[in-house]
Amino acid sequence: MTSCHVTEDPIKKVAIFGGTHGNELTGVFLVKRWLENGTEIQRTGLEVKPFITNPRAVKKCTRYIDCDLNRVFDPENLGKKMSKDLPYEVRRAQEINHLFGPKDNEYSYDIIFDLHNTTSNMGCTLILEDSRNDFLIQMCHYIKTSLAPLPCYVYLIEHPSLKYATTRSIAKYPVEVGPQPQGVLRADILDQMRKMIKHALDFIHNFNEGEEFPPCAIEVYKIMEKVDYPRNENGDIAAIIHPNLQDQDWKPLHPGDPVFLTLDGKIIPLGGGSTVYPVFVNEAAYYEKKEAFAKATKLTLNARSIRSSLP
């Protein structure tokens, strides 16, 4: 007999964040639509709240005003005394934590879907922070299966030093949803993101109704390390992403394969002794973070059977 991992309570409160980065317009566009008419995200017995997270940055169509909102939800920033001298995004983080948290509290929102865009060629992507969470693995499996044959990749950022304090982390089950370039809207990408949210909400509804989800497995790409651009003695970028690597997110990258190219034509290959999978290749917003791409390894996550305790 298959053992069943029973969640004590059904999901009650879900938030959908758009505009954590103000120039990532798909989430902004969808959230504004749902604030005007939320019929398509309504599910019986479930509170779903669409929310613009960084309105000042959205108004200016810029990533942030003072600092990256998606990096400041740590205890230090959330615990700072509120004042006008604090960076705008730190003050905003405290407001969001008050509205949807507090973080690590039983009364916080159950799930936050944070909608993001990227200039990297990543396609439909779910970002997962916990490799041992049966509920989240099951939800990712449901979304991936529902989207098929359209690929949907799962990026696992569970890492002791590379994980960061995200906006969505105030929820019990945080999920990031992507993709698409910043500062633009594309109908195909918008439709994909809309479908991802639909399938996620359908999964939650079915779970709340008592449906049992059998054991499952999903393929994920787990972050290993971030790779900076080669730099000269002044700290300036000395080489760019090689054409063979550009737009090749999720594709195997072997030792010796071209990674960077200098302006005088010198090729810099991948070192090391193992195949990796590049993610966030040449992401525009990561130049300031000194990240040309991230190396990931591919693995399989398994989830036990789950169902709500209330049929």
Side-chain angles (χ1 to χ4, degrees):
M1 182 176 178
T2 304
S3 62
C4 181
H5 174 72
V6 179
T7 298
E8 291 298 325
D9 296 303
I11 302 300
K12 296 179 179 178
K13 295 191 295 183
V14 174
I16 304 174
F17 285 177
T20 292
H21 297 132
N23 59 351
E24 298 180 5
L25 299 187
T26 308
V28 173
F29 190 84
L30 287 173
V31 166
K32 285 185 176 180
R33 157 74 178 178
W34 293 329
L35 285 169
E36 293 174 359
N37 184 351
T39 302
E40 69 179 279
I41 59 171
Q42 292 174 3
R43 298 295 185 277
T44 303
L46 185 65
E47 177 188 337
V48 183
K49 184 176 180 63
F51 186 76
I52 296 293
T53 29
N54 197 335
R56 289 191 187 177
V58 168
K59 187 174 182 179
K60 291 190 173 184
C61 196
T62 187
R63 184 174 174 87
Y64 55 76
I65 301 300
D66 293 323
C67 59
D68 195 331
L69 180 62
N70 209 30
R71 301 293 188 277
V72 295
F73 281 77
D74 56 273
E76 180 183 356
N77 280 306
L78 294 178
K80 287 178 179 177
K81 185 177 180 180
M82 182 67 81
S83 73
K84 292 183 179 179
D85 295 330
L86 285 179
Y88 167 69
E89 277 80 10
V90 174
R91 285 182 279 132
R92 186 62 175 162
Q94 293 185 6
E95 293 168 1
I96 293 169
N97 187 53
H98 176 74
L99 290 170
F100 297 94
K103 188 172 182 177
D104 299 324
N105 187 284
E106 62 177 310
Y107 300 108
S108 62
Y109 267 60
D110 297 302
I111 299 176
I112 291 176
F113 295 108
D114 199 8
L115 309 183
H116 283 264
N117 294 156
T118 175
T119 59
S120 302
N121 186 33
M122 291 172 61
C124 293
T125 301
L126 297 165
I127 296 185
L128 184 64
E129 301 186 16
D130 187 349
S131 65
R132 296 171 297 277
N133 191 302
D134 292 294
F135 181 89
L136 286 178
I137 295 171
Q138 287 278 5
M139 182 163 63
C140 289
H141 178 265
Y142 184 94
I143 295 170
K144 283 170 63 69
T145 302
S146 299
L147 286 170
L150 181 69
C152 181
Y153 303 94
V154 180
Y155 185 37
L156 177 63
I157 61 169
E158 186 180 60
H159 191 285
S161 61
L162 298 179
K163 187 175 179 179
Y164 46 89
T166 60
T167 310
R168 62 191 177 273
S169 64
I170 58 178
K172 297 168 188 173
Y173 302 117
V175 184
E176 181 173 318
V177 182
Q180 161 191 329
Q182 298 101 341
V184 300
L185 282 166
R186 282 181 46 171
D188 56 340
I189 303 298
L190 189 145
D191 181 63
Q192 290 172 17
M193 185 175 283
R194 199 173 190 173
K195 286 177 179 176
M196 292 169 80
I197 292 298
K198 174 195 179 303
H199 296 318
L201 293 174
D202 288 346
F203 171 82
I204 296 166
H205 173 75
N206 294 341
F207 172 78
N208 284 348
E209 291 293 303
E211 179 177 336
E212 181 169 342
F213 294 89
C216 71
I218 59 170
E219 181 180 83
V220 304
Y221 295 81
K222 182 179 181 180
I223 189 171
M224 300 166 59
E225 62 175 318
K226 297 178 180 179
V227 180
D228 190 10
Y229 295 90
R231 297 180 182 273
N232 61 23
E233 60 274 9
N234 297 321
D236 298 324
I237 291 176
I240 58 177
I241 294 291
H242 192 279
N244 288 11
L245 177 57
Q246 183 63 49
D247 299 327
Q248 297 303 303
D249 300 75
W250 312 115
K251 305 291 177 60
L253 186 62
H254 308 289
D257 284 350
V259 174
F260 296 107
L261 182 67
T262 67
L263 291 181
D264 58 8
K266 179 184 176 182
I267 294 174
I268 301 174
L270 179 70
S274 61
T275 297
V276 299
Y277 297 85
V279 184
F280 283 110
V281 177
N282 206 12
E283 159 58 43
Y286 287 179
Y287 278 74
E288 69 175 44
K289 302 181 188 305
K290 296 185 175 181
E291 180 181 339
F293 66 96
K295 294 179 183 177
T297 185
K298 187 161 60 173
L299 50 88
T300 299
L301 297 184
N302 295 284
R304 294 171 290 177
S305 167
I306 65 166
R307 64 176 173 82
S308 171
S309 58
L310 296 178

